Amino acid sequence: MTGDRPYLSSPLGRRLLAAFLLVALSSVAALTVAALVATDRGLASAQQQQRQQVADRVAAAAAGAYARAGGWPGADLAEASRLADAAGAQLSVRDSQGLMVWPGRGMGPGMMGGRGGGTVLEAPVTDAGRRVGSVRLGFTTSSGSGRSVAWSWVAGAAVVALLAAVAVSWYVARRLTRPLITVATVARRFAGGERTARARLTAPGELGEVAHAFDAMADEVVRTDATRRRLAADVAHELRTPLAGLQAGLEELRDGLRPADPARLAALHDQSLRLSRIVRDLADLSAAEAATVSLEPVDTDLTEIARAALAAQQPLLTAAGLQVTSELSGPAPVRADPDRLHQAVTNVLANAVRYCRPGDRVRLATSARDDHAVLRIADTGPGIPPDELPHAFDRMWRGRDAQAIPGTGIGLTVVRELVAAHGGSTTLDSPPGGGVTVTIQLPLRRTVR
């Protein structure tokens, strides 16, 4: 079963997993750098503002002590020192001359100079708007707790991203590889001779179209194969009857069972003519299917071609008792092979002779409109039943009512192939009241003035 196959173990699944993991790791790395830089800058800015506020409060406490003592001698700086200790800073107070007033416990010259990785902030001490000194606070370097928190969040996000990448890659690989594996398996079965093998699955987007296209292709291959087999059987059947009659007649003449009189020879000649006609029809069909490589197109007029074909078939139409109406007056310029189109029109008229009844009417009309030259050949014959109409262009097809009429069922197939080789189309219409209308459309050639 294709559904039991682990999708991530397939080549496509592994590639998808690698791609998703690469995208996830790249995203995590980029976000990590951005998060750390933003965290450092944000924490540094917040810490700087907080320390500056502490320095301002310590300066205000020192200014209060200065004002109460009337000067630096005797000033009680315990409150300022307490505020500095609470902020984890070392305090130094200087007077307006820069002389040390409060030495700051544990204050070293390195820290006071701002070296050793510490931070030193200074704030002025004012009294009645006059600067009387300054306070200097030395802060040690932060422990980096903010960065540790950031790293923990980044690590958690990375784990989540990797798990999401694996889950999404498994889901996508399953959605992509399952239809492909199914179609590949069915294709191998079909190639192995299992003509009933079909994908018959529903998949998203183009994958579903591929599966449906494969099933349609398989159906068309089966239909074409059946048509080919049926064509071979029909050809064998059509050839077998005249061959058997011809062989039997010749054997009778050879054995002296029948005299070689003109009547018998004429019957044998008719069988040979029927055999020749079948072979000629098959040759015409083969030539029509290969017409695209043998066309000799020139600037011509569909109306003139139809008029010439009608003139050639007029004796047969008259002998069959058919009434012909010609409406071939207006020009219908096309770029086509006149001989091939003459053959197509002749085949349609020959069908009318073969299937119409004495007294039926045949009408030919041409027109030029909507960028197409149109030829319509309509008759009032028996028509074609609706259930048989879709098969009228099939090879060797003959309707139920035509079995007793001589023919091979290739004429309309040749017409369709010849017209299609010119880039045109052939349609067939048979209303319930009887009659058949064959419509031939060809691209109209624009005349240059």
Side-chain angles (χ1 to χ4, degrees):
M1 293 291 291
T2 58
D4 297 333
R5 181 173 178 177
Y7 300 104
L8 293 182
S9 66
S10 65
L12 179 60
R14 290 195 298 269
R15 289 186 178 90
L16 288 174
L17 176 60
F20 277 106
L21 289 179
L22 178 61
V23 171
L25 291 175
S26 301
S27 301
V28 169
L31 291 176
T32 297
V33 173
L36 292 179
V37 171
T39 299
D40 283 346
R41 291 184 178 180
L43 291 177
S45 177
Q47 190 178 57
Q48 183 71 14
Q49 293 179 359
Q50 183 181 12
R51 288 176 175 179
Q52 187 62 49
Q53 292 175 357
V54 171
D56 292 340
R57 287 198 299 269
V58 171
Y66 177 90
R68 286 191 296 271
W72 289 117
D76 184 7
L77 297 175
E79 178 64 18
S81 178
R82 186 185 64 78
L83 291 175
D85 289 342
Q90 298 172 339
L91 174 63
S92 171
V93 181
R94 297 174 183 271
D95 60 13
S96 58
Q97 303 299 320
L99 299 178
M100 188 72 68
V101 175
W102 182 271
R105 295 168 298 173
M107 179 71 72
M111 179 64 70
M112 292 302 297
R115 296 185 302 271
T119 302
V120 177
L121 293 180
E122 185 174 347
V125 179
T126 58
D127 180 51
R130 180 173 60 90
R131 178 168 178 162
V132 295
S134 63
V135 296
R136 181 176 295 181
L137 282 77
F139 296 91
T140 59
T141 303
S142 175
S143 61
S145 59
R147 178 175 293 183
S148 300
V149 173
W151 269 112
S152 64
W153 280 98
V154 168
V159 172
V160 172
L162 293 178
L163 293 177
V166 173
V168 172
S169 63
W170 176 86
Y171 175 77
V172 173
R174 180 178 180 274
R175 296 283 287 177
L176 291 180
T177 57
R178 187 178 71 87
L180 295 178
I181 292 173
T182 301
V183 172
T185 302
V186 172
R188 285 190 290 268
R189 288 165 50 197
F190 188 84
E194 187 179 345
R195 292 305 193 219
T196 59
R198 299 292 186 275
R200 291 192 180 91
L201 56 83
T202 302
E206 290 79 3
L207 293 175
E209 294 180 5
V210 169
H212 294 319
F214 174 83
D215 289 346
M217 179 203 67
D219 292 338
E220 183 63 21
V221 168
V222 171
R223 189 193 68 80
T224 303
D225 187 62
T227 302
R228 179 183 60 82
R229 295 176 185 274
R230 187 172 59 252
L231 174 62
D234 291 342
V235 169
H237 173 74
E238 291 291 333
L239 294 177
R240 185 182 301 113
T241 301
L243 280 175
L246 187 60
Q247 180 181 357
L250 292 174
E251 289 177 352
E252 289 177 345
L253 294 180
R254 182 196 64 187
D255 297 338
L257 300 177
R258 296 285 296 272
D261 53 18
R264 186 56 181 166
L265 292 177
L268 294 178
H269 184 258
D270 290 341
Q271 294 289 357
S272 66
L273 290 179
R274 182 182 179 191
L275 182 62
S276 176
R277 184 179 65 252
I278 295 173
V279 174
R280 185 178 63 253
D281 288 345
L282 292 175
D284 289 342
L285 177 60
S286 177
E289 291 177 337
T292 53
V293 297
S294 62
L295 290 180
E296 298 180 2
V298 296
D299 293 343
T300 186
D301 188 352
L302 183 59
T303 299
E304 292 300 325
I305 293 174
R307 185 178 290 116
L310 176 59
Q313 294 295 311
Q314 185 66 55
L316 296 178
L317 294 167
T318 303
L322 302 181
Q323 303 175 15
V324 180
T325 303
S326 175
E327 298 177 9
L328 306 173
S329 56
V334 294
R335 179 77 177 175
D337 188 329
D339 293 336
R340 297 292 189 179
L341 290 185
H342 188 282
Q343 180 184 358
V345 178
T346 299
N347 280 10
V348 178
L349 294 176
N351 270 3
V353 171
R354 187 175 294 116
Y355 295 104
C356 286
R357 302 154 299 192
D360 286 336
R361 295 185 302 276
V362 178
R363 184 177 68 89
L364 285 77
T366 54
S367 60
R369 64 174 186 274
D370 298 334
D371 297 329
H372 284 90
V374 181
L375 168 63
R376 286 189 173 85
I377 303 177
D379 63 58
T380 58
I384 303 175
D387 60 324
E388 297 181 357
L389 194 60
H391 305 285
F393 289 111
D394 292 349
R395 301 177 180 180
M396 307 295 290
W397 180 87
R398 304 183 68 195
R400 295 184 299 269
D401 299 333
Q403 297 300 322
I405 301 176
T408 58
I410 293 179
L412 287 179
T413 307
V414 172
V415 173
R416 183 188 62 181
E417 296 293 339
L418 289 175
V419 174
H422 287 84
S425 63
T426 308
T427 57
L428 199 64
D429 183 40
S430 182
V436 173
T437 300
V438 179
T439 303
I440 297 175
Q441 288 191 11
L442 293 171
L444 189 65
R445 175 177 59 86
R446 293 297 183 182
T447 57
V448 180
R449 295 183 179 179

